[in-house]
Amino acid sequence: MWLSATTAFAIIGCTWAFSIGRYGGPDEPAHVLRAAAAAGGDFVGRPAPAFDPGFRQVTVPAALASGDPACYRHDETITSACAVATQGTGTVEVATSAGTAPPWYYAIVGVVTGLFSGGGSVLAYRMAAVLLCALILGHTLARSHRYGGSAWLVAALTPSAWFLLGVVGTSAIEIALVALAVVEAVGRFHRRSETASIARVTLPLAICLLVRPAAAIDVVVVGLIVAPTLPRPFTMRRLALLVGPLAVAAIASLAWSRWTRLVISDRRTADSDSLASALGRSLGDIPHTAHQAIGALGWNEFYAPAAAQLVWVATLAFAAYRVVVHSTEHWWHARWAAAALLLPTIIELIVHRRIGAIWQGRYSIAFAIGGVLYAARITAPSGAVMRRVLIAASCAEVATLWHSLRRYMVGLDGSLTLQHPSWRPPLDPWLLLAVNGAAMAWLGALALNSGDDVAEHVDNDVGRAGVVV
């Protein structure tokens, strides 16, 4: 199951990597430059006096320092053809805004890229990032298979999440790691006797915090799910399994920040408004943030079709309905929604004088995934119902890929059939869509087949629980 699911996720991620214009992901140039530098052992870089404190100057292959996406990212009708990569040789000195971020993700992506290429191709870095996320998501689907939650996992991924899996950036691995933590947390409803499973929840969450310390909000969504399953009273061992990995991650992140002299400040985005003004602006941005988490991004790099976004919203509504009707946690989604919508506002109020209203919808994707996946805590609906859910989710993902190809090839005011493009992906776009659709069908089949063995797994788990008790 793990190998099959990993392969399916890798194929899907590769079709996205091929379909997105040069540096089309959020802050992707900064992430690629950081990965290239980390692969060469430059984990910290050098101060860049002309830039804000978060920037660092690094040495990278010259080809990576070209093809700026600024020429098209602000207008969805402009194709990515204007972001032209030069064929320069040698290395150049450039500044990256990801310069003080923890280096672990970038080192892995950079080293894997260097093993199979010369390190001068953006697509090569994307392929390495896709493989890393596919390995985690494949394991996640295999773990959710144990209690019949695989179909919910596939349906939980928002259109924005599928897009981010195809580009270089810490958002993608954050999504994968939090999905794994949520799957393990939901699994505890089916196997409460396994004390060790607490570590299976907190370890991926701790790794997520090591990669991106600002992802502390993810602890909240996982905490909302795992809290009802925690045994009482707490023993020292249970407390160590729950808090220990997160404490180690927090200490390591703090040590890294001190070593790199991290300064949480950005004069480009900081504002001097009153607290009341900042509160009003942040609350007013909540619908925009929610929209980004489902089917858009901060700039104009990506929009999911309205139908694809509606499919995901309908899936969330169905999941919430199942929880209300078939579980004792009737108000769980109300608490989840309050936390998902208000926590970003609280964070923005704390830092608005230093870095302004910086919350992006993609930071809330983990909450969105958790809102759907929580429904896996109860017995799944009939196979026919889940089949319809998966078919709708798969069609929405393929439609979103087509919409993205259209945006980069002809612009969103261009041909619906992608005729007369000014930019072409490395492979034929219709071939990419066909391969993507086939991989989604394979992934859906894997997820649906997980229900066949659930009864046997549950019986075995109950038997083991009886022995333990």
Side-chain angles (χ1 to χ4, degrees):
M1 174 63 72
W2 171 79
L3 180 60
S4 297
T6 297
T7 303
F9 274 115
I11 293 172
I12 293 168
C14 286
T15 59
W16 277 98
F18 279 112
S19 301
I20 298 170
R22 183 175 178 83
Y23 284 145
D27 301 320
E28 193 175 17
H31 295 302
V32 171
L33 296 176
R34 182 70 195 285
D42 187 359
F43 292 151
V44 183
R46 296 162 297 286
F51 296 88
D52 285 287
F55 283 79
R56 287 292 188 274
Q57 187 170 309
V58 295
T59 302
V60 300
L64 296 179
S66 61
D68 191 340
C71 64
Y72 70 83
R73 70 173 1 163
H74 298 282
D75 188 342
E76 66 274 14
T77 64
I78 298 177
T79 73
S80 60
C82 61
V84 180
T86 63
Q87 301 301 318
T89 58
T91 60
V92 295
E93 297 284 326
V94 293
T96 169
S97 61
T100 56
W104 328 120
Y105 167 80
Y106 302 104
I108 294 173
V109 171
V111 169
V112 172
T113 301
L115 291 176
F116 300 100
S117 74
S121 167
V122 174
L123 184 58
Y125 286 93
R126 284 182 179 175
M127 303 293 275
V130 163
L131 178 59
L132 179 59
C133 290
L135 289 168
I136 299 171
L137 287 172
H139 176 63
T140 302
L141 190 136
R143 292 293 297 173
S144 63
H145 167 89
R146 293 168 58 88
Y147 57 84
S150 302
W152 285 117
L153 171 63
V154 176
L157 294 173
T158 68
S160 292
W162 287 115
F163 175 92
L164 290 169
L165 292 177
V167 298
V168 182
T170 52
S171 292
I173 193 171
E174 177 187 351
I175 291 168
L177 287 168
V178 174
L180 176 56
V182 170
V183 160
E184 295 292 357
V186 172
R188 288 181 53 79
F189 286 98
H190 304 270
R191 298 184 299 275
R192 288 198 181 199
S193 63
E194 297 184 16
T195 301
S197 67
I198 298 176
R200 296 196 187 103
V201 176
T202 53
L203 278 174
L205 198 56
I207 296 171
C208 182
L209 292 176
L210 280 174
V211 170
R212 186 173 173 271
I217 190 174
D218 299 334
V219 177
V220 178
V221 64
V222 178
L224 285 173
I225 295 172
V226 78
T229 72
L230 296 177
R232 304 289 193 277
F234 269 113
T235 63
M236 289 302 297
R237 178 171 180 262
R238 288 168 177 168
L239 186 63
L241 290 172
L242 179 65
V243 179
L246 301 178
V248 170
I251 293 171
S253 297
L254 181 61
W256 172 262
S257 299
R258 292 291 297 272
W259 185 48
T260 57
R261 296 182 175 86
L262 175 65
V263 177
I264 304 178
S265 176
D266 192 335
R267 61 176 179 268
R268 299 171 303 168
T269 56
D271 66 61
S272 57
D273 291 348
S274 66
L275 194 64
S277 296
L279 175 62
R281 182 173 58 250
S282 185
L283 291 175
D285 284 343
I286 285 178
H288 182 62
T289 300
H291 178 222
Q292 288 183 345
I294 298 171
L297 291 175
W299 299 106
N300 293 322
E301 305 105 324
F302 164 78
Y303 292 101
Q309 298 180 53
L310 183 60
V311 165
W312 188 88
V313 172
T315 302
L316 173 63
F318 178 58
Y321 166 79
R322 293 279 305 173
V323 170
V324 170
V325 173
H326 298 284
S327 80
T328 57
E329 293 289 329
H330 304 304
W331 293 98
W332 187 88
H333 273 91
R335 297 193 297 271
W336 163 84
L341 298 176
L342 295 180
L343 276 177
T345 295
I346 295 172
I347 293 172
E348 285 192 335
L349 290 179
I350 294 173
V351 301
H352 84 282
R353 290 290 177 86
R354 289 177 172 269
I355 52 180
I358 45 77
W359 193 266
Q360 300 289 323
R362 66 180 185 273
Y363 306 153
S364 298
I365 290 177
F367 254 103
I369 291 174
V372 174
L373 263 177
Y374 188 73
R377 64 160 289 180
I378 56 181
T379 304
S382 67
V385 171
M386 289 312 298
R387 188 177 300 110
R388 294 188 186 97
V389 171
L390 273 179
I391 289 174
S394 299
C395 290
E397 188 274 341
V398 176
T400 303
L401 180 62
W402 161 79
H403 205 248
S404 297
L405 280 164
R406 183 182 177 217
R407 187 263 177 271
Y408 291 109
M409 293 177 64
V410 298
L412 290 186
D413 61 345
S415 169
L416 294 174
T417 56
L418 312 180
Q419 297 297 312
H420 311 296
S422 57
W423 177 83
R424 290 181 179 274
L427 296 178
D428 182 83
W430 296 106
L431 174 62
L432 289 172
L433 286 167
V435 172
N436 178 271
M440 282 299 300
W442 183 20
L443 190 65
L446 292 172
L448 288 173
N449 288 338
S450 69
D452 297 340
D453 301 325
V454 170
E456 180 181 351
H457 281 302
V458 171
D459 290 341
N460 291 338
D461 287 337
V462 170
R464 286 195 295 269
V467 172
V468 171
V469 172

